[in-house]
Amino acid sequence: VCVCVCVCVCVCALTACRCTVTYKAPEPMGEHFFAESFDRGTLDSWVLSSAKKDDTDDEIAKYDGKWAVEEMIDSKLPGDKGLVLKSRAKHHAISAQLLRPFIFDTKPLIIQYEVNFQTGIECGGAYVKLLSQTPDLDLDQFVDKTPYTIMFGPDKCGEDYKLHFIFRHKNPKTGEYEEKHAKKPDADLRTYYTDKKTHLYTLVVNPDNSFELLVDQTVVNSGNLLSDMTPPINPPAEIEDPDDRKPEDWDERPKIQDPDATKPDDWDEDAPAQIPDEDAVKPDGWLDDEPEYISDPDAIKPDDWDEDMDGEWEAPQVPNPACESAPGCGAWQRPVIDNPNYKGKWKPPMIDNPNYQGIWKPRKIPNPAFFEDLHPFRMTPFNAVGLELWSMSSDIFFDNFFITNDRITADRWANDGWGLKKAAEGAAEPGLAAQMLSAAEERPWLWVVYVLTVALPLVLIIVFCCTGKVRHTHTHTHTHTLQNTALDLKKRSVRLTGGTERSWTPKPRPRRRRRPGDAASLD
């Protein structure tokens, strides 16, 4: 029983429970402006762009990248379909109308959707654009220059992993639009592009100008439209005067040479920096008459050597073998040391400049372009959502687009869609035991680690559990035997003395404290 319990505990710790997740298409509930799960299997409500990009070669100017509605390549949730970007090195553009325009008023904007880079991502984006409501908006002509209100989503090229949040702010003075970019997230985004799992991207923009970017319902970036966008929403109240010029006599030197300083009389500018060491002694055995290098005695002039063309032939130089056992050869020279009297060229010391005026800056003047927008949340309304992408990778999977102004409604949609995918992917992952066996196949040395960390403790637990009970039983039996022996001796003693045999129970004898030096005795 002891062995079975111990083994059972170990097996349970290494085995993952498996369950089956059944797909059910999410149904939009509550206030929403757009909901798309693609489970109808068609693109009936979407418009493919037939436009061309300006300022681009005709060969690649067309938006002819292919889209499809299908399940993921390695789907863990049969029946779940999504929008898939199928072509690589192509321009793609597709868009759809909202149920009604989104107006930025007193409620937040929440947009969320799912992305899975099924085959990885080399260079390309998976961001969405919320297309501004304009009289001339034509989804059939959707291009990169089509006005948008917000651009949001993942983008990657090389080792640059981005999560965009860009919105176009309207200058209240000029009416012109300028892109404002959110600060770069501090979180490491690499995993979301490389693990080939489905991730949920969410943008929340609140009427108080705060914003949050979430991945898998975890905040990875947050801030305020007034303080965390580049360039800032509001220009400075003052600017440097472009017509201001630095005066010719403006002195920016904080230090100058002391004009009253003079060179000391004992200053020798001609003293060398290094001098021969007068204390040095030539080593014993130095061969003054032997050159350090000699002509190679084994060298032979090449047969094709032409002295008229190549000059007089000379054997190559080789180290003199006579110098190998000597401390040195040739004329001995004293080594040089730093000259203690060397001072170099004299220069006057530096002192504070009494005429120092600081670094010159142009004077400030009121900024003629200044304005103050304290409510940048009130962006341009939008009435369509679109994907306008170029990618060097194919099979990018999009699913469960949702736009609302209610956080609870968005969370419910996320749990019904992305939540199911997450559960299905988790159920399909191998258990701990399978992962350990797979790892050991690639790295056999892991078996030693498994034995030390799993098998050895298991054996020790079995030994401890199973031997402890036997030891206790043995001790109890031994004590019981001693009591029976003492009782039997007492009865015999009563019979021998002629006394009357009575029922007797041995009483514990008072224990006497042993003193140091007392010999051990048997009671």
Side-chain angles (χ1 to χ4, degrees), residues 65 162 284 319 323 345 378 436 473:
K162 297 179 181 179
D284 295 336
C323 300
K345 185 174 181 60
R378 298 171 185 171
M436 292 173 64
T473 304

Side-chain angles (χ1 to χ4, degrees), residues 223-240:
N224 192 285
L225 299 177
L226 288 171
S227 57
D228 298 299
M229 306 300 289
T230 303
I233 300 296
N234 297 309
E238 291 184 325
I239 61 171
E240 294 179 346

Side-chain angles (χ1 to χ4, degrees), residues 460-509:
L460 293 176
I461 292 173
I462 294 173
V463 172
F464 177 79
C465 294
C466 298
T467 58
K469 186 174 181 180
V470 174
R471 186 182 297 111
H472 176 73
T473 304
H474 176 72
T475 303
H476 176 74
T477 304
H478 180 65
T479 303
H480 185 67
T481 302
L482 289 176
Q483 291 179 351
N484 289 340
T485 302
L487 180 61
D488 186 60
L489 290 174
K490 181 65 178 178
K491 289 181 178 181
R492 290 181 182 180
S493 175
V494 170
R495 292 194 189 101
L496 289 175
T497 57
T500 303
E501 182 176 346
R502 294 188 301 272
S503 174
W504 175 79
T505 302
K507 297 181 179 179
R509 182 177 178 178

